[in-house]
Amino acid sequence: MPTTPIGAPPRDAPPTEALWTVEVQFTVNGAVSRLKLDARVSLLDALREHLHLTGTKKGCDHGQCGACTVHVDGRRVLSCLTLAATINGRAITTVEGLANAEGLHPMQQAFIRHDGFQCGYCTAGQIMSAVALLGEPCGPGNDDVREAMSGNICRCGAYPGIVEAIQSVRSGR
């Protein structure tokens, strides 16, 4: 009688890829998306590689830089640390979904007006965090904004413009 090596699946088991595949459905920027993914795929990779929404950036891939920030049900999350399978049935907004037919989101306009970016790599994550900050408890001062945005790193040092942009939207200027 043939034996199965230790750690190998039984001979009549389905292929390994079928064991790790999940079907997910979520709404991305208002459109329903259905994907069949490896269960280990991050939300970031699902957005970039499967839905071709490349505005969300892969910075550190460890949840330390904030470049991958998106909104899930209106709250900011680090998409590099979030498994796509855990977002089944939820609403996702990426930087591509902020603007509408009438124009850019006020935060996007403010980042342009106040030079809230330099190289632009972190900008999508910075803007997504800044938009989320508008609905979160945050004190009125610049230091309060810096603290609320501390999970987003800008290697170019555009922080003064980022804070000015956020404060201008918060104050309605």
Side-chain angles (χ1 to χ4, degrees), residues 14 17 20 28-29 70 74 77 86 90 104 113 127-128 160 164:
E17 65 226 26
W20 294 102
V28 181
N29 300 330
V70 299
V77 300
T86 66
R90 297 175 74 187
L104 295 176
R113 193 170 50 254
I127 290 173
M128 294 305 291
E164 287 176 28

Side-chain angles (χ1 to χ4, degrees), residues 35-112:
L35 298 172
K36 192 178 261 191
L37 301 169
D38 183 303
R40 301 164 289 182
V41 169
S42 69
L43 177 57
L44 174 62
D45 289 339
L47 293 169
R48 291 183 57 81
E49 297 173 16
H50 297 274
L51 297 177
H52 309 291
L53 294 169
T54 57
T56 305
K57 302 300 183 215
K58 184 178 279 198
C60 66
D61 213 19
H62 295 286
Q64 297 176 345
C65 73
C68 68
T69 304
V70 299
H71 298 173
V72 175
D73 295 335
R75 297 187 61 171
R76 55 180 153 171
V77 300
L78 299 172
S79 62
C80 74
L81 295 182
T82 305
L83 292 175
T86 66
I87 305 300
N88 193 37
R90 297 175 74 187
I92 301 160
T93 304
T94 68
V95 72
E96 291 95 339
L98 289 181
N100 59 36
E102 297 170 15
L104 295 176
H105 185 280
M107 191 64 73
Q108 291 171 308
Q109 293 173 346
F111 265 65
I112 293 168

Side-chain angles (χ1 to χ4, degrees), residues 140-157:
N142 288 350
D143 286 340
D144 299 314
V145 171
R146 284 186 201 94
E147 177 66 26
M149 293 293 292
S150 64
N152 291 79
I153 296 171
C154 174
R155 293 181 68 188
C156 300

Side-chain angles (χ1 to χ4, degrees), residues 107 130 133-134 136-142 144-146 148 163-173:
M107 191 64 73
L133 179 145
L134 298 175
E136 298 170 357
C138 180
N142 288 350
D144 299 314
V145 171
R146 284 186 201 94
V163 172
E164 287 176 28
I166 294 167
Q167 291 291 52
S168 74
V169 173
R170 291 177 81 200
S171 68
R173 296 183 271 135

